[in-house]
Amino acid sequence: MVVGNRRGLRFAALGTLLAAFTLPAYADPTPPPPASVTDVNRSLEQLQAEAAAVQADFAKATIAYTNALKAAEAAEAAAKKAETTSAATSGKADEERRRFGLLTAQAYQLGIPTVMGMESMLWSLAPVAENLQEIADRQTAITQLGSTQVTQYQAAMAAEAAAKSAKATAAKKRAAANEAATKAKQLSQEVQQKAADAAMMMEGQVADLDGASELSKQLQIARDQQALARWKTYLTELATAKVKPPAASVLKNPSKLPAGMLPLTAGGRPVAGAASVVHGGRTIRVLPAETIRAVNRAFSLLGKPYGVAATGPGKYGCLGAARVAWQPYTTLPNLVSKVYPNYQRVPAAQIQPGDLLVMGSKSLGLVHIGVALDNGEMIAADESKGSVVVTRVPDNLYGALRPTLGKPTHAQVAPASSSDAYAFRCGNTATSYNVGSGAWTWPLADGTYEIGTSFGQAGSMWSSGYHTGQDFPAAIGTPVRAVTSGIVRVEHPAWAGNLVRIDHGNGLETLYAHLSSVDVADGTQVRAGQRIGAVGTEGNSTGPHLHFEVRLGGDPVNPMPFLATGTASVGWGGFSNGMIPASKLCGLGSGHMLRCDAAAAYLQLASAYRARFGKTLCITDSYRSYSAQVSLYARKPSLAALPGTSNHGWGVAVDLCGGIDKFGTVQYQWMKTHAARYGWVHPAWANQGGSREEPWHWEFGNPASA
């Protein structure tokens, strides 16, 4: 593929650039990474966004085809019903005409004047002329002719009219059924073509993703080194100024500082727990010795592998790195929600290196913690990167805590953890996310918008370096709707002009920017499809459009899968479903692979299974690439998951055999009893009596140690 080759060449050139880019032990100031290096990170995100967009496009096309197929089936059923009704009505009309003809023919044969006249008699005689002898034999009907002839004529005419109407209705519904069938056939061909194109495109991206992922790892190392260089520069400044960092207790009160030290100010106010000195005409920040020790220890953990709930020395979980950094000065509680009430919160404008940053929201709970640095960065155990890293402070920062200030002066209550809080631990989101809060609709009505700038597009016009939403160009004043139910927050940031943010609970938010008008009040509850405003071009905008975002746990994710399906597979480790490079997976043997934590748990399960049955755990399917999902879906659309949504594509699902593939067997019952102990579960939909009975399908759930 030409595009893939071009990307590969670009990555190779950037790899050479990275290899030549080295950092001094410290520098003053530390130079930013070359723009081209930063572009690699955007390139990785762009590749991931492209993959997600392809999957979303295919999902949307498939859903359109499925709906068209259902519509065609309904139209066909309606047409057949109408045709049956038409046939029955036509038969009834013939019978009514026949009965009227009998009466008229009798009157004519017996010389009795017909009250309906010659025209009606001729109209009625045609279908019954062969029955005249039968008419002549029915002398008893003669006395009824005068009183019943008009009534029977009216009944016959009404039946004829009903027959014509039913015939017209049947013809109309048959035309609609044929049109629906044609549309379904056309969409079927489009889906097949999209499937083939998507599979080919995804195959071409795997190598690119692998290369971009490796360069991203090198970028992370460079970022870690740069942050360390800046920290060393600061320590050198302190040493040059002959400042010995004092104990935390000495700096606790800005109004009672040691001689020669001045209050450190930030946000127009003195910073508690820190001070400053002037040396050589420069103001140098002074942090407590305990804080400096904590930051030094945090830096010493960089690159250590991530492990769920791990506290070292080999691996570190969400809280593990922060906890080790601040020991022995203080021992943090074992849950982030318990950390928050125990240490003094400080204003965001006064955050200093060493502060504990807790991430989360009121509707989600607290899900992550890091040790603050300067430049909007922190050191944290990051599941998506698989190690302790220097990373940006995410948008879902809930609060900053300063351990050296001790207990809070006022009670600090952490938000209650929701059922989905686990899905957002340690800077990562779940592999899939169900909106679960009512119907999901598009923010603009069909036919009122175009598809504009996509999620993930790189560019200097965005402060993040890439586009964090999906744009929909539309005329000013076009109604904007809430995609699902939630609580409104109205904001007016410079970039968006007028912004409606809707909290849907459990970490899910949607944002609607550049609105020309806002039609909902702050704090109100809205339902799916309710008008919340109108398209505009307020704020940082190049023309009338809606900028729409979906955020999970504070992080922007590609909105298109949500819009296509009402649910979303949002990624693991930054990769799209079915697009995880082999280098990021771990083997099970016989060519099978899973996400590494799932693989470790599977091997433990397999060991227990062998101990019980004396046989190897039988497996038929594990990680399934996107192209493999497309192939399976084409062959088994009623059984396979929509490509891009299968948990096989995240490397966290297996299909088993050897008896486990049948309900009620000893092997299946053993799995039901013991698999959860190793983090493996049989989803409810796959249970006997579930929506799709699959005894063989098992998924890696929350690890038991979480």
Side-chain angles (χ1 to χ4, degrees):
M1 295 178 65
V2 175
V3 173
N5 290 339
R6 190 177 298 134
R7 264 199 209 107
L9 290 172
R10 183 178 66 200
F11 290 152
L14 290 171
T16 303
L17 185 152
L18 269 174
F21 177 63
T22 57
L23 288 165
Y26 63 87
D28 184 16
T30 302
S36 55
V37 175
T38 306
D39 287 344
V40 178
N41 199 33
R42 294 279 71 80
S43 296
L44 176 59
E45 292 182 2
Q46 182 68 29
L47 282 170
Q48 294 157 0
E50 286 174 9
V54 169
Q55 294 176 354
D57 183 55
F58 178 70
K60 186 178 179 183
T62 303
I63 290 168
Y65 165 61
T66 302
N67 291 338
L69 194 61
K70 290 179 180 177
E73 291 172 351
E76 178 64 24
K80 287 183 177 179
K81 183 178 179 181
E83 287 166 349
T84 300
T85 300
S86 176
T89 307
S90 178
K92 182 179 179 181
D94 288 345
E95 177 60 24
E96 293 296 341
R97 288 180 62 190
R98 178 179 177 281
R99 291 175 62 187
F100 178 67
L102 290 174
L103 293 174
T104 305
Q106 286 176 330
Y108 175 78
Q109 194 175 50
L110 297 174
I112 300 174
T114 63
V115 296
M116 300 303 299
M118 183 61 68
E119 181 181 348
S120 64
M121 182 189 72
L122 294 176
W123 173 82
S124 65
L125 278 178
V128 294
E130 68 276 11
N131 296 317
L132 290 178
Q133 184 58 46
E134 177 186 344
I135 294 172
D137 294 338
R138 290 189 169 186
Q139 298 299 321
T140 56
I142 296 175
T143 57
Q144 300 175 10
L145 290 177
S147 61
T148 61
Q149 199 174 20
V150 173
T151 300
Q152 186 59 51
Y153 175 72
Q154 291 174 339
M157 289 297 289
E160 180 73 8
K164 287 182 178 179
S165 176
K167 185 176 181 180
T169 298
K172 185 177 181 180
K173 290 191 175 183
R174 169 52 58 193
N178 292 340
E179 183 180 351
T182 300
K183 181 179 179 181
K185 184 177 181 181
Q186 178 184 348
L187 287 175
S188 173
Q189 293 171 346
E190 289 181 10
V191 166
Q192 291 177 25
Q193 186 59 52
K194 280 183 179 290
D197 293 344
M200 183 179 297
M201 187 177 297
M202 293 299 196
E203 286 293 336
Q205 282 189 335
V206 170
D208 288 348
L209 277 169
D210 222 345
S213 175
E214 183 57 35
L215 284 175
S216 181
K217 185 187 297 183
Q218 295 180 38
L219 276 171
Q220 184 61 61
I221 293 172
R223 184 174 196 171
D224 294 348
Q225 290 176 338
Q226 289 170 342
L228 178 59
R230 284 191 292 268
W231 179 248
K232 287 183 176 181
T233 297
Y234 165 67
L235 296 181
T236 300
E237 288 179 333
L238 285 181
T240 302
K242 298 182 180 179
V243 175
K244 181 179 180 181
S249 58
V250 175
L251 300 181
K252 194 169 185 179
N253 189 343
S255 64
K256 296 181 180 179
L257 297 173
M261 290 190 180
L262 302 171
L264 177 70
T265 59
R269 297 169 55 191
V271 177
S276 67
V277 296
V278 177
H279 177 75
R282 296 182 60 184
T283 298
I284 302 173
R285 174 175 53 198
V286 178
L287 297 173
E290 294 88 343
T291 297
I292 290 176
R293 185 186 305 118
V295 176
N296 283 339
R297 293 201 70 183
F299 270 113
S300 74
L301 301 178
L302 290 178
K304 295 287 187 181
Y306 169 83
V308 175
T311 57
K315 296 182 178 181
Y316 294 87
C318 299
L319 191 56
R323 181 183 247 189
V324 169
W326 271 100
Q327 286 174 338
Y329 177 74
T330 183
T331 299
L332 304 183
N334 60 356
L335 293 173
V336 179
S337 60
K338 292 182 178 180
V339 173
Y340 184 74
N342 284 288
Y343 301 97
Q344 178 63 50
R345 180 169 178 163
V346 296
Q350 294 197 353
I351 292 174
Q352 302 296 321
D355 288 347
L356 295 172
L357 306 181
V358 291
M359 275 60 71
S361 67
K362 289 183 179 179
S363 66
L364 183 63
L366 301 180
V367 297
H368 197 196
I369 188 169
V371 177
L373 302 174
D374 286 323
N375 300 319
E377 293 182 324
M378 67 179 186
I379 295 175
D382 191 310
E383 181 177 337
S384 66
K385 294 181 172 62
S387 62
V388 179
V389 296
V390 172
T391 185
R392 70 175 182 84
V393 177
D395 292 339
N396 64 338
L397 174 66
Y398 187 82
L401 311 173
R402 190 160 296 154
T404 56
L405 297 182
K407 292 282 186 180
T409 55
H410 301 286
Q412 296 172 180
V413 180
S417 180
S418 76
S419 59
D420 279 351
Y422 179 85
F424 299 97
R425 69 186 188 275
C426 310
N428 198 20
T429 52
T431 54
S432 59
Y433 193 94
N434 194 314
V435 295
S437 52
W440 184 276
T441 188
W442 285 63
L444 299 171
D446 286 348
T448 66
Y449 64 88
E450 297 176 359
I451 301 295
T453 304
S454 61
F455 174 84
Q457 181 169 320
S460 58
M461 69 179 69
W462 300 294
S463 60
S464 63
Y466 70 104
H467 195 231
T468 54
Q470 174 65 54
D471 285 349
F472 297 100
I476 291 179
T478 302
V480 176
R481 312 178 296 191
V483 295
T484 191
S485 59
I487 304 295
V488 166
R489 195 164 86 224
V490 178
E491 301 173 0
H492 303 282
W495 70 270
N498 296 319
L499 173 73
V500 170
R501 181 191 298 262
I502 303 180
D503 185 346
H504 306 287
N506 293 336
L508 174 66
E509 290 181 308
T510 53
L511 281 68
Y512 312 75
H514 310 305
L515 302 179
S516 60
S517 65
V518 175
D519 301 330
V520 286
D522 200 66
T524 56
Q525 170 82 40
V526 294
R527 65 185 182 278
Q530 179 177 336
R531 175 169 173 153
I532 59 173
V535 170
T537 185
E538 306 298 313
N540 181 21
S541 171
T542 57
H545 73 283
L546 171 69
H547 172 88
F548 175 70
E549 288 191 19
V550 173
R551 294 195 178 189
L552 291 175
D555 291 326
V557 297
N558 189 357
M560 293 305 285
F562 282 90
L563 295 176
T565 65
T567 62
S569 295
V570 297
W572 167 79
F575 299 101
S576 297
N577 187 288
M579 294 297 294
I580 304 175
S583 61
K584 302 296 180 183
L585 299 170
C586 290
L588 308 177
S590 301
H592 289 289
M593 305 185 80
L594 290 175
R595 201 175 76 183
C596 290
D597 54 346
Y602 177 88
L603 292 174
Q604 291 177 338
L605 173 67
S607 177
Y609 184 88
R610 177 182 284 276
R612 167 62 179 84
F613 294 101
K615 295 181 179 179
T616 300
L617 188 56
C618 181
I619 180 172
T620 60
D621 286 278
S622 52
Y623 170 71
R624 193 175 290 156
S625 69
Y626 185 78
S627 57
Q629 293 178 55
V630 170
S631 174
L632 181 63
Y633 188 79
R635 289 182 284 114
K636 302 177 180 179
S638 61
L639 291 177
L642 184 71
T645 67
S646 169
N647 275 334
H648 284 286
W650 294 122
V652 292
V654 293
D655 290 344
L656 303 177
C657 46
I660 299 173
D661 50 341
K662 296 181 177 63
F663 291 114
T665 64
V666 176
Q667 294 86 349
Y668 176 81
Q669 292 301 331
W670 184 90
M671 284 288 292
K672 289 287 285 184
T673 302
H674 298 93
R677 199 176 298 169
Y678 304 94
W680 287 89
V681 296
H682 195 231
W685 59 263
N687 284 334
Q688 198 161 18
S691 61
R692 198 167 74 239
E693 296 182 347
E694 293 186 8
W696 55 83
H697 183 88
W698 294 77
E699 296 180 355
F700 183 61
N702 296 352
S705 59

